[in-house]
Amino acid sequence: MTLPTHINNQDYHEAPGRKCALANTRNIGIMAHIDAGKTTLSERILYYTGKSHKLGEVHEGAATMDWMVQEQERGITITSAATTCFWKNHRINLIDTPGHVDFTAEVERSLRVLDGAVAVFCSVGGVQPQTETVWRQAKKYHVPTIAFVNKMDRTGANFYRVVEDMRKKLGACVVPISLPIGAESFFEGNVQIIDQKAYRYDGDDGSQVVEFDIPESMQEKAKEAFDYLVECLAENDDAIMELYLNGEVPSKEQIKDSLRKAVIDGKLVPALCGTAFKNKGIQLLLNAVVDYLPSPVDIWETKGTDPDTDAPATRHCGDDQPFSALVFKLMNDPYVGKLSFIRVYSGCIEKGSTVINPRTKRRERVGRLLQMHANTREERDMIYCGDIAAIVGLKNSTTGDTICDEGNQIVLESMSFPDPVISIAVEPKSSAARDKLFNALAALSDEDPTFTINSNGDTGQTIISGMGELHLEIILDRLVREFKVECSSGKPEVAYREAILKPAQSDSKFVRQTGGHGQYGHCVLDVKPMERGHGITVESKIVGGAIPKEYIKPIEQGIREAAATGVLAGYPLTDFHVDIIDGSYHPVDSSEMAFKIAGSMGLKDAARKGGVVLLEPIMKVEVTSPEENMGDIIGDLSGRRGTIVQVDTREGTVRITANTPLSELFGYATAIRSLSRGRASYTMEPEHFERIPTAIQDKIVEKTKK
């Protein structure tokens, strides 16, 4: 990508109080499949940049970035943690994201506000299911990426196989810029392709980087990798192509400049390798972050819409521009209250100033500004363009909201989150704790967009829903530890969906005669099923004023409210389109409420005519097991209505991928341990919704009616 001339001319302004140049700022995230070593890598980055003075280990519960008690106990990342460190006069705002699919919302919102990412791969596991998910999320937000193949010291480590895996499964054009010297217990260091030098890491903490000549055994591989890098650059850069065709070798600076442009444009993915746990290769990765990932200046323009007209609008980076920022995360801090994490896209903001939220049209006062380092805070008087920080004092802004100057309003692109797939009922252990429970659940729901709360109208139960068993387990644990609320919970239930089978029409009239004004609402609806993932859309095709415009919105509200409670078994009705095609009104008796009820009646009537079926969430399950247990595991998955998608065998280990209904997977962790004597492991993530077999559907409907 050729940067616009105004960027090359530094056509942006920086405030006098800024400590680090905007062009020297890097907003990056660490993303990967669970257990690839993201948090260990983050800890090493903090150590080598001088942010922390001891190496925090995940397995000891001492990692700086895993600050929650639940994270330290389980050795996993649950919430994305932000921090700031410095490397070679560059400011790196770093976010360590979770790898577990139950916390995918944390990855989604982090990638939305980052300019670049480091994708971590296990040198043995290669591309794993959650790797593919986070890769898709990064592509969705056009986040340039560097690959780091970690755990090169593990038995079975193979850098070249992982690179090939990335090319095949992710469709990425991967160019190795660092090769491993040795592997497994013989992993010594790296060959840097552009420098044509070798490096090893001395000292107990690997802080002494020693440069030496490339070993003779590696020289041919290093030359091949260099030639491949130049070929890939030539395909994307005319200047390099000209040198290549003339048989000339580009200079080191030309290669770095060209590679940087290709990475920012999303055309190439540089790959490095090392072992974070054994302190090897981290410094070279930091150099690559500085050299190849973009600064806010490279992104330059942020797109949004005008809140009044919905017309496209843009903001340029620069401290002198009108202020705009995106709220990407909320967090309840026991000491300072509600924290709103923001990414500033243009302008600056001072503590005590006032901004506006274009969605709510309400002003918000900025109480305090905090620079976060995991769960510790540093007070700031001002936050500049390109910064990631937290605000105390925003009362009416939620995840995905824009805050900006009142005189120059813009709505920045928000983010989307998957629907919950699992639910449980909760109730307080005493009536006195009821209000406390609801307040705690509301606070947790504000923090996490994939955690929802509903009340069952028939039973009066409070139903909480999330992305998996672990997700809800953590929520219940936090209720006790953070909010001091004791509650009882039921067994996990699958969050089913309802869907319409065939197009149908309804003609619904709501008429009530009382003393004085009556109630009159009449609408004709045309309802048709849509593809999975479509959601609910409503369109008015009223002509000639059969229904006045002010009653169209209430009809839509009625339709959506009816869809929320479903028709068949009380589950949400989804994936359909409604055309409001006709109706009538009464000049005296018609009201918004009457048309709302008519819309609700109309949807239910059309759905019954078209036929309603239940949909269940299907999970993509990947089991890694010794080969000898393959038959038992495949048989067990088939018995759980699973469809085997793929079986890969590699060096005595088998990887089985299957699509299996979530309802059949409760307690699967215990079952797989039993089948493999504790040697197999599995991961799962939501794949799609699918129609339930009729016999099972009848049982579910009968159960809900009881």
Side-chain angles (χ1 to χ4, degrees):
M1 163 172 136
T2 304
L3 300 180
T5 49
H6 48 244
I7 295 179
N8 293 328
N9 293 336
Q10 304 290 295
D11 188 16
Y12 62 93
H13 297 278
E14 296 183 350
R18 174 183 279 279
K19 290 181 180 176
C20 183
L22 191 54
N24 286 358
T25 298
R26 301 287 182 271
N27 291 314
I28 68 161
I30 311 289
M31 62 179 195
H33 182 86
I34 190 168
D35 204 31
K38 296 177 301 301
T39 303
T40 303
L41 176 62
S42 300
E43 294 298 318
R44 297 309 185 265
I45 287 174
L46 296 183
Y47 181 75
Y48 293 126
T49 56
K51 185 70 181 181
S52 60
H53 301 292
K54 71 182 185 70
L55 295 166
E57 301 296 359
V58 176
H59 62 278
E60 293 172 359
T64 308
M65 302 298 271
D66 282 352
W67 56 270
M68 288 175 70
V69 177
Q70 293 86 350
E71 294 177 316
Q72 292 166 357
E73 287 177 350
R74 291 167 174 81
I76 61 170
T77 301
I78 292 168
T79 183
S80 53
T83 189
T84 300
C85 53
F86 291 85
W87 182 257
K88 294 190 173 178
N89 297 320
H90 284 68
R91 180 194 191 102
I92 299 174
N93 295 318
L94 175 74
I95 296 182
D96 175 31
T97 65
H100 202 288
V101 68
D102 284 24
F103 312 108
T104 188
E106 292 288 327
V107 186
E108 182 84 20
R109 57 184 170 195
S110 298
L111 287 171
R112 167 61 187 88
V113 297
L114 293 169
D115 299 329
V118 176
V120 185
F121 297 80
C122 172
S123 62
V124 181
V127 175
Q128 296 165 286
Q130 192 62 10
T131 319
E132 296 180 52
T133 304
V134 297
W135 196 268
R136 280 197 303 272
Q137 288 171 310
K139 291 297 141 199
K140 175 179 170 184
Y141 295 116
H142 310 290
V143 178
T145 307
I146 285 175
F148 182 73
V149 179
N150 193 22
K151 302 191 177 185
M152 283 302 302
D153 58 315
R154 273 189 59 187
T155 304
N158 190 324
F159 172 76
Y160 304 99
R161 186 180 65 210
V162 176
V163 168
E164 201 52 45
D165 222 15
M166 291 168 63
R167 289 169 181 157
K168 283 180 183 172
K169 293 183 179 176
L170 304 178
C173 186
V174 184
V175 287
I177 60 169
S178 166
L179 300 181
I181 301 173
E184 303 180 347
S185 58
F186 300 104
F187 178 65
E188 293 176 31
N190 303 84
V191 171
Q192 283 300 85
I193 300 306
I194 298 172
D195 296 342
Q196 286 291 294
K197 288 285 182 185
Y199 298 90
R200 70 169 185 269
Y201 311 91
D202 288 352
D204 293 339
D205 58 0
S207 58
Q208 298 166 32
V209 183
V210 180
E211 181 185 301
F212 60 102
D213 291 334
I214 298 173
E216 200 172 320
S217 59
M218 290 290 298
Q219 285 178 2
E220 192 174 331
K221 275 186 178 174
K223 186 180 183 309
E224 283 174 13
F226 182 84
D227 292 343
Y228 179 72
L229 171 61
V230 174
E231 281 175 32
C232 290
L233 293 176
E235 289 174 13
N236 297 293
D237 188 323
D238 291 341
I240 301 289
M241 174 63 85
E242 194 175 332
L243 291 169
Y244 181 73
L245 293 174
N246 291 333
E248 296 176 41
V249 179
S251 69
K252 181 175 157 182
E253 287 69 28
Q254 286 173 313
I255 290 174
K256 282 191 170 184
D257 288 346
S258 180
L259 181 56
R260 178 179 172 78
K261 288 175 186 174
V263 171
I264 291 171
D265 208 23
K267 291 179 178 175
L268 296 181
V269 178
L272 300 95
C273 61
T275 164
F277 183 57
K278 294 289 179 68
N279 313 314
K280 294 177 181 178
I282 313 305
Q283 296 94 327
L284 301 184
L285 175 63
L286 281 166
N287 290 343
V289 165
V290 165
D291 288 341
Y292 307 120
L293 288 181
S295 72
V297 180
D298 298 314
I299 307 302
W300 184 248
E301 196 173 70
T302 303
K303 293 180 180 176
T305 55
D306 186 301
D308 298 321
T309 64
D310 281 340
T314 57
R315 285 285 183 275
H316 291 165
C317 78
D319 293 336
D320 62 333
Q321 296 293 312
F323 173 74
S324 67
L326 188 74
V327 179
F328 69 93
K329 177 182 168 78
L330 301 182
M331 189 175 95
N332 288 294
D333 188 290
Y335 302 104
V336 297
K338 181 174 155 186
L339 290 176
S340 304
F341 284 75
I342 63 164
R343 156 71 197 266
V344 182
Y345 283 95
S346 61
C348 303
I349 184 170
E350 270 186 288
K351 71 175 180 182
S353 59
T354 302
V355 294
I356 193 166
N357 181 332
R359 179 182 64 84
T360 61
K361 302 293 183 190
R362 296 177 75 169
R363 293 187 184 91
E364 297 266 31
R365 188 175 180 278
V366 178
R368 294 164 67 189
L369 295 171
L370 303 173
Q371 188 71 58
M372 299 300 294
H373 174 50
N375 65 329
T376 60
R377 301 157 295 279
E378 176 193 330
E379 294 276 351
R380 295 272 300 272
D381 293 326
M382 182 176 276
I383 299 294
Y384 302 96
C385 177
D387 282 355
I388 291 175
I391 294 180
V392 181
L394 300 189
K395 290 184 170 58
N396 302 297
S397 296
T398 188
T399 302
D401 278 356
T402 302
I403 55 171
C404 57
D405 278 351
E406 191 170 357
N408 283 281
Q409 294 187 31
I410 187 172
V411 177
L412 302 173
E413 181 194 354
S414 188
M415 53 211 86
S416 56
F417 300 102
D419 291 329
V421 296
I422 187 171
S423 305
I424 56 173
V426 294
E427 57 184 42
K429 288 194 173 175
S430 66
S431 55
R434 183 168 294 277
D435 288 346
K436 202 174 175 186
L437 173 64
F438 289 144
N439 291 337
L441 289 175
L444 290 170
S445 181
D446 281 346
E447 278 189 21
D448 186 349
T450 58
F451 171 63
T452 60
I453 315 155
N454 293 294
S455 183
N456 187 314
D458 297 328
T459 64
Q461 283 183 311
T462 300
I463 308 295
I464 62 172
S465 305
M467 296 304 296
E469 287 181 274
L470 179 62
H471 188 191
L472 295 183
E473 183 189 315
I474 298 294
I475 293 286
L476 294 173
D477 194 34
R478 290 185 65 191
L479 283 174
V480 175
R481 294 198 196 199
E482 288 177 38
F483 296 93
K484 307 293 187 280
V485 179
E486 293 284 346
C487 66
S488 305
S489 59
K491 285 183 178 177
E493 299 257 339
V494 176
Y496 294 107
R497 298 280 183 274
E498 296 183 9
I500 300 169
L501 274 176
K502 294 181 294 190
Q505 272 194 12
S506 66
D507 188 336
S508 296
K509 195 176 285 187
F510 176 70
V511 183
R512 287 284 184 279
Q513 291 300 329
T514 55
H517 285 313
Q519 293 281 1
Y520 183 93
H522 172 219
C523 60
V524 180
L525 305 180
D526 188 0
V527 181
K528 56 186 175 188
M530 303 299 285
E531 71 278 0
R532 297 285 167 261
H534 175 84
I536 301 170
T537 49
V538 181
E539 189 178 344
S540 171
K541 294 201 172 172
I542 297 293
V543 290
I547 301 174
K549 280 184 179 178
E550 62 265 28
Y551 296 136
I552 299 299
K553 199 74 179 170
I555 293 173
E556 181 176 343
Q557 286 173 347
I559 289 167
R560 292 185 182 276
E561 283 184 18
T565 54
V567 175
L568 186 64
Y571 296 106
L573 186 69
T574 189
D575 298 336
F576 63 87
H577 176 78
V578 180
D579 287 322
I580 307 168
I581 56 175
D582 202 2
S584 61
Y585 73 103
H586 189 281
V588 176
D589 290 349
S590 284
S591 67
E592 289 189 0
M593 180 55 71
F595 274 100
K596 186 175 176 181
I597 294 169
S600 176
M601 291 166 54
L603 175 69
K604 291 190 174 184
D605 184 37
R608 289 189 189 100
K609 287 179 183 174
V612 180
V613 293
L614 281 185
L615 306 175
E616 63 180 342
I618 303 296
M619 309 299 282
K620 180 182 178 183
V621 182
E622 184 169 289
V623 181
T624 304
S625 162
E627 224 173 323
E628 64 204 63
N629 303 118
M630 180 172 73
D632 292 338
I633 288 169
I634 288 176
D636 181 67
L637 285 169
S638 300
R640 295 171 185 269
R641 295 195 284 129
T643 304
I644 306 301
V645 177
Q646 192 176 359
V647 178
D648 283 335
T649 306
R650 186 182 289 171
E651 296 172 8
T653 302
V654 66
R655 188 185 290 176
I656 303 157
T657 307
N659 289 340
T660 310
L662 175 63
S663 59
E664 304 286 349
L665 290 169
F666 292 137
Y668 188 57
T670 306
I672 199 168
R673 274 199 296 269
S674 172
L675 287 168
S676 65
R677 297 192 296 280
R679 296 169 68 198
S681 62
Y682 80 99
T683 59
M684 64 178 177
E685 61 179 353
E687 180 72 3
H688 59 275
F689 277 84
E690 202 170 273
R691 185 174 170 178
I692 295 178
T694 308
I696 297 174
Q697 176 175 303
D698 292 344
K699 286 180 186 174
I700 294 168
V701 173
E702 193 178 325
K703 183 183 169 186
T704 54
K705 282 180 179 173
K706 283 181 183 176

